[in-house]
Amino acid sequence: MKAILPALLAACMTLVCATAASQTGAEALPLDTQGAIEWCRTHTLDRIEGVWSYPQDRVTVLIHKADTEGTDYNVSVVESEKLSLRPGELLGTVSATAEPDKFSMTLFTSKTKGKLSRPRKCALTLTADDSGLTVRSKVRKWRINPFAILPYFWKVARVSESDPMKTLPVGMIRLHPSYDGNGSSRHHVRYL
């Protein structure tokens, strides 16, 4: 039984690699962070390409050139703590805009019958040092004022509250390539 388990695991990994390759129509994509880093080392990368971590959702993705027309880059899952996302799965696409540090991204937001579905658009902006990507999506705000007849009178009685946590940027942190080529991160201290 112990001898069968490694062979079964290898067969499963081969199947997942074949699935990832068939999704992109090209070579198989890496299925873990170390494999994604090695993939980046063997390819010429644009500014936005590389291995990115989305810490809020505990997902690591690889942004890489797309083979399909009309899309500049693909966003593929490398690792995820969510069981619904599998390594090699195409999570979304990224397209360039007129400004070199701003991009349009389409991400799938749910899964239907085992396939990612419900794409949603958002804006990506590379930080000044290229170590992060901030993500902004469409937000709808509703505000109802039941005292609209006398707005200036009731303005005195209004209470407002600010939440600095809501103004923090949401986005991804670059894991590879690093800013200095030695694996350093501007987010963590590197001890020599």
Side-chain angles (χ1 to χ4, degrees), residues 35-151:
I37 290 170
E38 291 302 319
W39 185 92
C40 289
R41 288 183 179 149
T42 61
H43 289 76
T44 305
L45 303 178
D46 289 345
R47 238 177 117 188
I48 193 170
E49 287 184 286
V51 182
W52 297 86
S53 169
Y54 191 60
Q56 289 86 350
D57 285 330
R58 296 185 182 109
V59 174
T60 303
V61 297
L62 173 65
I63 298 178
H64 57 95
K65 286 182 189 81
D67 295 332
T68 57
E69 194 173 313
T71 301
D72 296 326
Y73 306 96
N74 286 336
V75 180
S76 301
V77 176
V78 175
E79 289 182 358
S80 174
E81 288 187 17
K82 295 182 178 189
L83 296 176
S84 60
L85 293 175
R86 295 184 320 263
E89 238 176 348
L90 181 66
L91 188 59
T93 58
V94 176
S95 299
T97 65
E99 293 187 45
D101 60 341
K102 297 189 189 264
F103 300 86
S104 170
M105 180 167 69
T106 303
L107 282 180
F108 295 107
T109 59
S110 67
K111 223 172 192 182
T112 307
K113 295 181 181 176
K115 288 192 155 209
L116 290 167
S117 60
R118 295 187 54 193
R120 185 172 176 194
K121 286 197 171 264
C122 53
L124 287 179
T125 304
L126 268 169
T127 58
D129 59 4
D130 290 353
S131 67
L133 277 171
T134 58
V135 179
R136 289 184 300 122
S137 59
K138 189 185 302 184
V139 177
R140 291 189 178 122
K141 291 184 180 180
W142 297 87
R143 186 175 161 186
I144 300 171
N145 184 0
F147 308 111
I149 297 169
L150 301 170

